[in-house]
Amino acid sequence: MTTKQTQTILLTGGRAPAALELARIFSRRGARVVAVDSCGPFICEHSRHISASLRVPSPRFEPEKYASAVLGFIREQKVDLVVPCTEETFYLAQMRDQFIGDCELLCEPIDTLRRLHHKGDFMQWADSLGMRTPKTQVFSKEQNIADKFESVKAQLNSGQPFVLKPAFTRFANEVIISSSGRYEPFDIKAFAGGRDLVYQQFLPGRQINTFALAHEGKLLFNVAYHGDWTAGKGASIHFAPVDHAGCREWIETFVAKTNFSGQISFDFIQEARTGQVRPIECNPRVTSGVHLLAEIPEVYDAYVHKTPVDLSFDRLKAAQVRLAMVTFGILPNLRKPRKLAKFAWQFASARDVVLDTSDPRPFFYQFYIYQHFMRRALLKRVPLQHVAIEDMVWNDDVLCMQPVTELEARGA
């Protein structure tokens, strides 16, 4: 790593609005910011806060070419710090040894990330540390499918409210929720699909999402928010800050007990009966909570110098992905006046995460990106969220890569 005064920071996953948010925060503090991504157009390409960008091969489908391209770009741009912004985090973690001597990679080793990302293993880990968690059972993919079917059926017929989901999923895809304890029969063999399944106690209450940064077991900052408006079942598109000491205490304790370093996000349920919070999953990467930090310049110091940020609640402002709010908020609620009124108030009072009058090009470019992904979704007859992440989604993929040589990284 260099000792130059101006930091060069690489953001991977440059398609994400979260990456654009970080680019603006870092650049305004004098950092030189560069970006890569494996999708066609990505939003950071057109920001004035990005000094250089590169489209790279897919980490999911071409991992060796991805590693070569990213490492070559790191050396070409003399990068000091790599900040992953989407699920390419897990592929980069598997390349971790190849970063030694070049720059800092802001994520834990892959074994730690996998344990956190696996919705069952995370619960078992937290439970072993004495943390408050919902009752959780894992049906391993190694089990005989008939045994798994009988086990799951027994649980589903217990009459207790439950959640059933694959161990690796995102945006609440393929999540079966029964608040009554009853369920409609379904093809359990097809649903299992050779994957671990997680059966979890259903917790009545309101969901609270969080995003945090930690270094060597010390919490540097943490934000909590409600994501009442979503694209589909689970991807939040509106972020309203919440002042919740219980979430912070849980995260601070977990981070300390695991000596965690890096970006980490938790989803909690605040129980309706007790008011206490319990986690329902962990995402060991940046999430949309970063949008609440747009006006907090000290976030740069937390990332680069590992110094804590004093985050008083009044400094956090509500934010939204306005284009997604129009698409997923207005149209489905045209015949629901009360919900539409709530939407109108929240839509008018929250900042758009893409629009910035001093950096206007990403706002206009997002419409081209939107139609690009929408066209692909229509051609493939799959949801928009699927095509937006298909090239870098991670489902416990194990990479068997040869180390990238210096000549390969230079493109020789």
Side-chain angles (χ1 to χ4, degrees), residues 10 14 29 52 67 70 78 117 133 197 202 234 236 245 256 259 277 279 287 297 319 366 386 394 400-401:
L10 168 62
R29 284 295 306 274
V70 171
K78 297 181 171 56
H117 192 44
T133 61
L197 295 181
F202 174 80
S236 296
N259 197 38
V277 294
T287 54
Q366 72 177 323
H386 176 86
W394 189 85
C400 299
M401 297 189 303

Short mmCIF file of all heavy atoms in Angstrom, two decimals, residues 10 14 29 52 67 70 78 117 133 197 202 234 236 245 256 259 277 279 287 297 319 366 386 394 400-401:
data_model
loop_
_atom_site.label_atom_id
_atom_site.label_comp_id
_atom_site.label_asym_id
_atom_site.label_seq_id
_atom_site.Cartn_x
_atom_site.Cartn_y
_atom_site.Cartn_z
N LEU A 10 -11.13 2.17 -4.78
CA LEU A 10 -11.86 1.44 -5.82
C LEU A 10 -13.19 0.96 -5.25
O LEU A 10 -13.23 0.27 -4.22
CB LEU A 10 -11.04 0.25 -6.31
CG LEU A 10 -11.78 -0.77 -7.19
CD1 LEU A 10 -12.28 -0.12 -8.48
CD2 LEU A 10 -10.89 -1.97 -7.50
N GLY A 14 -20.22 -1.08 -9.22
CA GLY A 14 -20.54 0.31 -9.51
C GLY A 14 -21.94 0.54 -10.03
O GLY A 14 -22.34 1.68 -10.25
N ARG A 29 -14.25 14.53 0.02
CA ARG A 29 -13.19 14.63 1.01
C ARG A 29 -11.81 14.58 0.38
O ARG A 29 -10.80 14.46 1.09
CB ARG A 29 -13.35 13.52 2.06
CG ARG A 29 -14.48 13.77 3.05
CD ARG A 29 -14.23 15.00 3.93
NE ARG A 29 -12.95 14.93 4.60
CZ ARG A 29 -12.77 14.30 5.77
NH1 ARG A 29 -13.79 13.72 6.38
NH2 ARG A 29 -11.58 14.28 6.33
N ALA A 52 -11.94 7.15 -13.00
CA ALA A 52 -11.73 6.11 -14.01
C ALA A 52 -12.67 4.96 -13.72
O ALA A 52 -13.00 4.69 -12.56
CB ALA A 52 -10.28 5.63 -14.02
N ALA A 67 -10.95 -11.80 -11.84
CA ALA A 67 -9.82 -11.56 -10.94
C ALA A 67 -8.68 -10.86 -11.66
O ALA A 67 -8.09 -9.90 -11.15
CB ALA A 67 -9.33 -12.89 -10.35
N VAL A 70 -9.72 -7.14 -12.42
CA VAL A 70 -9.77 -6.29 -11.23
C VAL A 70 -8.37 -6.01 -10.69
O VAL A 70 -8.02 -4.86 -10.38
CB VAL A 70 -10.66 -6.93 -10.15
CG1 VAL A 70 -10.54 -6.16 -8.82
CG2 VAL A 70 -12.12 -6.95 -10.60
N LYS A 78 -3.20 2.30 -9.10
CA LYS A 78 -2.50 2.46 -7.82
C LYS A 78 -3.50 2.65 -6.67
O LYS A 78 -3.46 3.60 -5.89
CB LYS A 78 -1.51 3.63 -7.87
CG LYS A 78 -0.39 3.42 -8.89
CD LYS A 78 0.58 4.59 -8.91
CE LYS A 78 1.80 4.30 -9.76
NZ LYS A 78 1.47 3.93 -11.16
N HIS A 117 -23.48 -14.89 5.96
CA HIS A 117 -24.46 -14.80 4.88
C HIS A 117 -25.45 -15.95 4.90
O HIS A 117 -26.61 -15.79 4.48
CB HIS A 117 -23.71 -14.75 3.55
CG HIS A 117 -24.56 -14.38 2.38
ND1 HIS A 117 -25.48 -13.35 2.40
CD2 HIS A 117 -24.63 -14.91 1.12
CE1 HIS A 117 -26.07 -13.25 1.21
NE2 HIS A 117 -25.58 -14.19 0.43
N THR A 133 -31.91 -14.44 19.55
CA THR A 133 -32.21 -14.85 18.18
C THR A 133 -33.55 -15.59 18.15
O THR A 133 -33.98 -16.16 19.16
CB THR A 133 -31.13 -15.80 17.61
OG1 THR A 133 -31.07 -16.98 18.44
CG2 THR A 133 -29.76 -15.14 17.60
N LEU A 197 -32.04 -25.54 3.57
CA LEU A 197 -33.26 -24.80 3.88
C LEU A 197 -33.22 -24.36 5.34
O LEU A 197 -32.68 -25.07 6.20
CB LEU A 197 -34.50 -25.66 3.65
CG LEU A 197 -34.80 -26.10 2.21
CD1 LEU A 197 -36.09 -26.92 2.17
CD2 LEU A 197 -34.90 -24.91 1.29
N PHE A 202 -41.50 -17.46 13.30
CA PHE A 202 -42.05 -16.18 12.83
C PHE A 202 -42.20 -15.23 14.01
O PHE A 202 -42.76 -15.59 15.05
CB PHE A 202 -43.39 -16.40 12.14
CG PHE A 202 -44.08 -15.12 11.75
CD1 PHE A 202 -43.71 -14.44 10.60
CD2 PHE A 202 -45.10 -14.59 12.56
CE1 PHE A 202 -44.33 -13.26 10.24
CE2 PHE A 202 -45.73 -13.41 12.19
CZ PHE A 202 -45.35 -12.74 11.04
N GLY A 234 -38.84 -7.67 -1.01
CA GLY A 234 -37.86 -7.39 0.02
C GLY A 234 -36.83 -6.31 -0.23
O GLY A 234 -36.14 -5.91 0.70
N SER A 236 -35.66 -2.83 -0.32
CA SER A 236 -36.15 -1.51 0.12
C SER A 236 -35.77 -0.43 -0.88
O SER A 236 -34.67 -0.42 -1.42
CB SER A 236 -35.56 -1.17 1.49
OG SER A 236 -36.01 -2.08 2.47
N ALA A 245 -31.78 2.20 20.17
CA ALA A 245 -30.63 1.80 20.99
C ALA A 245 -30.48 0.28 21.04
O ALA A 245 -29.36 -0.23 21.13
CB ALA A 245 -30.78 2.37 22.39
N ALA A 256 -18.09 -6.96 18.61
CA ALA A 256 -17.02 -7.12 19.60
C ALA A 256 -16.70 -8.59 19.84
O ALA A 256 -15.53 -8.99 19.90
CB ALA A 256 -17.41 -6.43 20.90
N ASN A 259 -14.91 -9.94 16.79
CA ASN A 259 -13.76 -9.15 16.35
C ASN A 259 -13.87 -8.82 14.87
O ASN A 259 -12.89 -8.88 14.12
CB ASN A 259 -12.44 -9.89 16.64
CG ASN A 259 -11.24 -8.95 16.58
OD1 ASN A 259 -11.32 -7.81 17.02
ND2 ASN A 259 -10.13 -9.43 16.05
N VAL A 277 -35.60 -6.45 20.11
CA VAL A 277 -35.23 -6.77 18.73
C VAL A 277 -34.48 -8.08 18.68
O VAL A 277 -33.70 -8.42 19.58
CB VAL A 277 -34.37 -5.65 18.09
CG1 VAL A 277 -35.16 -4.38 17.95
CG2 VAL A 277 -33.09 -5.40 18.89
N PRO A 279 -32.53 -10.54 15.45
CA PRO A 279 -32.15 -10.52 14.02
C PRO A 279 -32.86 -11.61 13.25
O PRO A 279 -33.18 -12.68 13.80
CB PRO A 279 -30.64 -10.79 14.08
CG PRO A 279 -30.49 -11.66 15.29
CD PRO A 279 -31.49 -11.17 16.29
N THR A 287 -25.26 -1.97 2.42
CA THR A 287 -26.66 -2.00 2.01
C THR A 287 -27.17 -0.55 1.92
O THR A 287 -26.40 0.39 2.09
CB THR A 287 -27.53 -2.80 3.00
OG1 THR A 287 -27.33 -2.30 4.32
CG2 THR A 287 -27.19 -4.29 2.94
N PRO A 297 -19.66 13.84 6.30
CA PRO A 297 -18.34 13.71 5.66
C PRO A 297 -17.37 12.84 6.45
O PRO A 297 -16.43 12.28 5.88
CB PRO A 297 -17.84 15.16 5.58
CG PRO A 297 -18.65 15.92 6.58
CD PRO A 297 -19.97 15.25 6.63
N ALA A 319 -34.21 9.01 2.74
CA ALA A 319 -33.78 8.95 1.34
C ALA A 319 -34.63 7.93 0.59
O ALA A 319 -35.32 7.10 1.21
CB ALA A 319 -32.30 8.58 1.26
N GLN A 366 -29.69 6.93 -15.48
CA GLN A 366 -30.41 5.83 -14.85
C GLN A 366 -31.59 5.36 -15.70
O GLN A 366 -31.97 4.18 -15.65
CB GLN A 366 -30.90 6.23 -13.46
CG GLN A 366 -32.04 7.21 -13.45
CD GLN A 366 -32.56 7.53 -12.06
OE1 GLN A 366 -32.61 6.65 -11.20
NE2 GLN A 366 -32.93 8.79 -11.83
N HIS A 386 -33.96 -9.91 -10.87
CA HIS A 386 -33.14 -11.08 -11.23
C HIS A 386 -32.04 -10.72 -12.23
O HIS A 386 -30.87 -11.04 -12.02
CB HIS A 386 -34.03 -12.19 -11.79
CG HIS A 386 -33.28 -13.40 -12.26
ND1 HIS A 386 -32.92 -14.43 -11.41
CD2 HIS A 386 -32.79 -13.73 -13.49
CE1 HIS A 386 -32.26 -15.34 -12.10
NE2 HIS A 386 -32.17 -14.95 -13.36
N TRP A 394 -24.18 -14.53 -5.41
CA TRP A 394 -23.33 -15.56 -4.80
C TRP A 394 -24.18 -16.50 -3.96
O TRP A 394 -24.86 -16.06 -3.03
CB TRP A 394 -22.25 -14.92 -3.93
CG TRP A 394 -21.19 -15.87 -3.43
CD1 TRP A 394 -20.06 -16.27 -4.08
CD2 TRP A 394 -21.15 -16.52 -2.15
NE1 TRP A 394 -19.33 -17.14 -3.30
CE2 TRP A 394 -19.97 -17.31 -2.10
CE3 TRP A 394 -21.99 -16.52 -1.04
CZ2 TRP A 394 -19.62 -18.07 -1.00
CZ3 TRP A 394 -21.65 -17.29 0.07
CH2 TRP A 394 -20.47 -18.06 0.09
N CYS A 400 -12.36 -22.17 -7.94
CA CYS A 400 -11.09 -22.89 -8.03
C CYS A 400 -10.23 -22.14 -9.05
O CYS A 400 -10.19 -22.48 -10.23
CB CYS A 400 -11.33 -24.34 -8.46
SG CYS A 400 -12.36 -25.28 -7.31
N MET A 401 -9.56 -21.13 -8.56
CA MET A 401 -8.80 -20.25 -9.46
C MET A 401 -7.31 -20.40 -9.22
O MET A 401 -6.85 -20.56 -8.09
CB MET A 401 -9.19 -18.78 -9.24
CG MET A 401 -10.62 -18.46 -9.54
SD MET A 401 -10.91 -16.68 -9.51
CE MET A 401 -10.37 -16.28 -7.85
#
